[in-house]
């Protein structure tokens, strides 16, 4: 595999933020226009992870 | 910057209908779980913040969660799932001490790897499981970064190592001599001293209680919860 493929986007700074969304703590990656992509749900309740709205990769509006 | 404003409830309802219409998905019914889960993944992050490329478990996230688990009467047990490469010794020990001192039953499960400071976290639970293919690396602790090269630094490192060893030997069936030997073995790790132990070996050494997976862990957890209930109403 070429090195460029492996290291693609490695130099880009990713903007991770901690946000409360529907009463749960999330780590989101901030995008334009107040949107964010869910990276991780911070919860100890296993049922929260079955909730579709907290699935990693989902886009949410946080602003 | 324009953000579409909707009533939160309408928005939620809209999302549900959209899911059914477009993807044929329905929301799962909300069930309450009496067991809560904490996952220790990637590096255990302590006093230093890692660059964002690193996957980390931050102790400032874990510790309040553990307090909430202890305090919430609806939670009856805690499952700790580990797949960690290790990390900050003091943060790891802090998490391990917190898990150990919970009054509720705790079960840990090592999947993939529970290396380095993952070992005390794994043994801190009331009962521990390891997957057949999971591994644990035992090695002496070390400092990175600028270190003042004086005798006191070495003494401090030695004391820190003793804290880790004491915690592990007090919370598992492995004895100190065996553990120290594993820690200082040469020829097992490519550029370090120490030992890698795989599932079955960890059980044989007494470090982990049993081989198993998530099913076994939940079964054991339910048994411990039942035991705990009897204890609290005074039936012996």
């Amino acid at each position: 595999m070429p090195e460029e493929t492996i290291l693609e986007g490695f130099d880009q700074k990713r903007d991770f933020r901690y946000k409360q969304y529907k009463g749960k703590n999330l780590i989101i990656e901030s995008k334009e226009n107040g949107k964010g992509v869910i990276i991780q749900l911070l919860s100890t309740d296993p049922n929260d992870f079955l909730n579709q709205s907290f699935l990693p990769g989902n886009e949410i509006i946080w602003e | 910057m324009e953000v579409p404003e909707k009533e939160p409830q309408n928005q939620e309802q809209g999302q549900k209908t959209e899911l059914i219409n477009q993807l044929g998905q329905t929301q799962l019914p909300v069930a309450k779980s009496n067991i809560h889960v904490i996952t220790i993944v990637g590096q255990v992050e302590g006093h230093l913040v890692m660059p964002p490329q690193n996957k980390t478990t931050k102790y400032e996230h874990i510790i309040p969660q553990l307090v909430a688990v202890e305090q919430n009467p609806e939670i009856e047990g805690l499952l700790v799932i580990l797949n960690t490469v290790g990390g900050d010794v003091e943060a790891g020990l802090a998490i391990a001490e917190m898990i150990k001192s919970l009054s509720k039953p705790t079960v840990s499960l090592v999947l993939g790897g529970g290396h380095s400071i993952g070992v005390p976290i794994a043994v801190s639970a009331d009962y521990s499981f390891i997957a057949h293919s999971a591994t644990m690396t035992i090695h002496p602790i070390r400092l990175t970064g600028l270190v003042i090269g004086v005798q006191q630094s070495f003494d401090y490192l030695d004391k820190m190592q003793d804290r880790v060893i004491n915690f592990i030997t007090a919370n598992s069936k492995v004895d100190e001599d065996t553990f120290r030997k594993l820690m200082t073995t040469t020829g097992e790790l490519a550029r370090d001293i120490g030992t890698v132990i795989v599932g079955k070996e960890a059980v044989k050494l007494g470090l982990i209680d049993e081989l198993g997976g998530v099913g076994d862990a939940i079964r054991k957890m339910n048994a411990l919860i039942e035991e705990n209930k009897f204890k609290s109403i005074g039936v012996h």
Side-chain angles (χ1 to χ4, degrees), chain B residues 160-179:
Chain B
M160 205 136 97
Q161 179 128 313
D162 286 342
R163 280 159 71 193
V164 176
I165 294 174
N166 289 342
F167 186 89
I168 293 166
T169 50
N171 291 288
S172 69
K173 289 182 222 104
V174 72
D175 61 276
E176 197 181 323
D177 283 347
T178 317
F179 195 78

Side-chain angles (χ1 to χ4, degrees), chain A residues 5 13-15 21 26 40 52-53 59 61:
Chain A
T5 316
K13 234 182 138 200
R14 298 176 72 185
D15 185 12
Y21 176 68
L26 297 173
Q40 198 187 339
Q52 304 273 358
S53 39
E59 204 171 67
I61 297 162

Side-chain angles (χ1 to χ4, degrees), chain A residues 1-11:
Chain A
M1 200 187 257
E3 221 166 77
E4 297 82 61
T5 316
I6 299 168
L7 297 174
E8 204 188 315
F10 198 76
D11 52 343

